[in-house]
């Protein structure tokens, strides 16, 4: 009976230890979040660090301590642009990243135990690094989609706010009406901005926080215009009318730009996939006839 190599046994043990960690990381967290919210409400705002540690899973806390500060800042920025998804808090992401890298490394070591080569070692290292950054890539993709949705919703939202202001509502009231009637990420950001102001944050700071949570140039320009109008006493209806008109123009220009890019994008698939098949279908019988006649 052939003995199992020790490296294979160690790899299987490491993989068996990693799988429960991955299962916990990818499991739903709604019940755990509800328990944490209840604990936070019962504790107060000034809990010490020891109380925070006891409320947090030990592995998540350890992974967060081992994560470099630069990676924490970058991950926090990606998490903010993605809308702070409830199912993926930062503590879970700190744990998922090394868990995925460890799982990929263990599988690579199991593969290297049977066949080892320089190219395979490089492939295993590359896959391990890519596995470590998979959460970053997923957050980045979700953030890009979210920012595009905000850019598309901005013109219609400004039109709603302009109608509300011209009907006699204040700027915050019109923002609340647009946030309540909307269903996209921009409506959520508007409601969060209003909540920031209700808990005591100044208007300028709340608007600046909204700009920091997004990466849409048009929204940043609108926020700058609102801040300047609030500082110099300019009519907010005039600002909204100008910004809404500009946003509609920019949206039409983006649509025209995408329409002009379609022929260029279609050209390469047409040349690589459609035209060769068309030539074969049209010239194929003729070529076969010529070959048979000369044969």
């Amino acid at each position: 009976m052939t003995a199992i190599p020790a490296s294979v046994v160690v790899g299987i043990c490491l993989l068996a230890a990693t799988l429960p960690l991955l299962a916990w990381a990818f499991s739903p967290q709604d019940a755990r979040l509800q328990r944490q919210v209840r604990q936070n409400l019962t504790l107060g705002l000034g809990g010490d660090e020891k109380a925070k540690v006891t409320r947090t899973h030990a592995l998540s806390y350890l992974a967060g301590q081992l994560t470099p500060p630069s990676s924490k800042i970058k991950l926090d920025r990606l998490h903010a642009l993605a809308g702070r998804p409830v199912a993926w808090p930062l503590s879970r992401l700190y744990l998922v990243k090394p868990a995925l890298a460890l799982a990929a490394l263990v599988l690579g070591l199991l593969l290297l135990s049977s066949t080892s080569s320089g190219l395979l070692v490089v492939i295993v290292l590359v896959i391990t690094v890519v596995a470590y950054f998979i959460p970053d890539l997923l957050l980045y993709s979700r953030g890009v989609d979210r920012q595009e949705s905000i850019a598309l919703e901005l013109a219609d939202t400004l039109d709603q706010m302009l109608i509300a202001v011209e009907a006699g509502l204040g700027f915050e009231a019109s923002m609340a009406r647009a946030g309540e009637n909307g269903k996209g990420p921009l409506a959520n950001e508007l409601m969060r901005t209003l909540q920031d102001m209700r808990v005591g944050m100044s208007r300028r700071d709340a608007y600046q926080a909204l700009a920091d949570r997004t990466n849409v140039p048009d929204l940043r320009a609108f926020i700058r215009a609102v801040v300047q109008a609030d500082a110099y006493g300019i009519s907010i209806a005039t600002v909204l009318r100008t910004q809404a008109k500009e946003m509609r123009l920019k949206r039409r220009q983006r649509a025209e730009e995408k329409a002009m890019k379609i022929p260029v994008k279609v050209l390469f698939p047409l040349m690589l996939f459609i035209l060769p098949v068309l030539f074969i279908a049209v010239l194929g019988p003729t070529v076969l006839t010529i070959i048979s006649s000369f044969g």
Side-chain angles (χ1 to χ4, degrees):
M1 185 175 181
T2 306
I4 301 176
S7 59
V8 176
V9 176
V10 174
I12 293 175
C13 294
L14 291 175
L15 185 60
T18 306
L19 288 179
L21 188 61
L22 289 175
W24 175 86
F26 286 99
S27 62
Q29 196 181 344
D30 295 337
R32 189 183 307 129
L33 285 176
Q34 293 177 3
R35 290 196 301 269
Q36 185 175 0
V37 169
R38 287 195 294 265
Q39 291 174 359
N40 291 339
L41 291 175
T42 55
L43 291 173
L45 298 177
D48 56 355
E49 188 67 19
K50 184 177 180 180
K52 294 180 181 178
V53 174
T54 57
R55 294 196 306 266
T56 308
H57 196 279
L59 293 177
S60 300
Y61 179 77
L62 179 61
Q65 294 297 318
L66 296 177
T67 304
S70 59
S71 299
K72 285 185 177 181
I73 295 174
K74 182 179 179 180
L75 195 63
D76 182 73
R77 176 61 177 169
L78 293 175
H79 198 257
L81 294 178
R84 303 289 183 186
V86 179
W88 290 93
L90 287 176
S91 58
R92 170 174 286 195
L93 293 175
Y94 294 153
L95 183 60
V96 168
K97 288 166 65 70
L100 288 175
L102 180 60
L105 182 61
V106 169
L107 293 177
L109 292 177
L110 291 176
L111 184 61
L112 289 175
S113 63
S114 58
T115 303
S116 63
S117 64
L119 180 60
L120 190 58
V121 172
V122 174
I123 293 176
V124 169
L125 292 177
V126 171
I127 292 176
T128 303
V129 174
V130 172
Y132 181 79
F133 288 103
I134 282 178
D136 301 69
L137 297 176
L138 293 177
L139 282 179
Y140 176 78
S141 177
R142 181 166 180 172
V144 169
D145 295 338
R146 189 171 182 273
Q147 303 308 310
E148 290 179 355
S149 299
I150 291 176
L152 291 176
E153 296 169 2
L154 183 58
D156 295 335
T157 302
L158 292 184
D159 288 335
Q160 295 178 14
M161 294 174 62
L162 176 61
I163 294 173
V165 169
E166 290 180 344
L169 294 179
F171 180 68
E172 281 77 15
S174 65
M175 186 185 298
R177 181 65 60 87
E180 292 173 356
N181 294 333
K183 296 181 180 179
L186 181 57
N188 296 332
E189 290 295 340
L190 294 179
M191 296 303 296
R192 180 175 176 181
T193 302
L194 292 174
Q195 291 173 0
D196 290 340
M197 288 188 285
R198 288 168 185 168
V199 298
M201 187 180 294
S202 64
R203 290 183 178 181
R204 185 184 183 91
D205 294 338
Y207 296 152
Q208 188 60 41
L210 174 60
D212 294 337
R213 292 194 303 269
T214 58
N215 196 21
V216 181
D218 295 340
L219 182 57
R220 290 175 176 267
F222 168 69
I223 292 173
R224 286 196 299 268
V226 170
V227 171
Q228 292 177 358
D230 188 40
Y232 295 104
I234 303 174
S235 174
I236 194 64
T238 304
V239 175
L240 282 173
R241 189 179 299 107
T242 304
Q243 291 294 321
K245 182 179 179 180
E246 184 178 355
M247 297 309 167
R248 287 194 299 269
L249 178 61
K250 288 184 177 181
R251 186 172 62 179
R252 183 169 61 250
Q253 290 175 349
R254 285 195 296 266
E256 293 175 353
E257 181 182 359
K258 291 182 179 179
M260 294 177 64
K261 290 180 179 179
I262 290 177
V264 179
K265 295 180 179 179
V266 172
L267 179 62
F268 294 101
L270 181 67
M271 295 178 60
L272 294 177
F273 301 105
I274 300 178
L275 290 181
V277 176
L278 183 62
F279 288 153
I280 292 174
V282 173
L283 300 178
T286 305
V287 173
L288 293 176
T289 303
I290 294 174
I291 292 174
S292 61
S293 62
F294 282 99

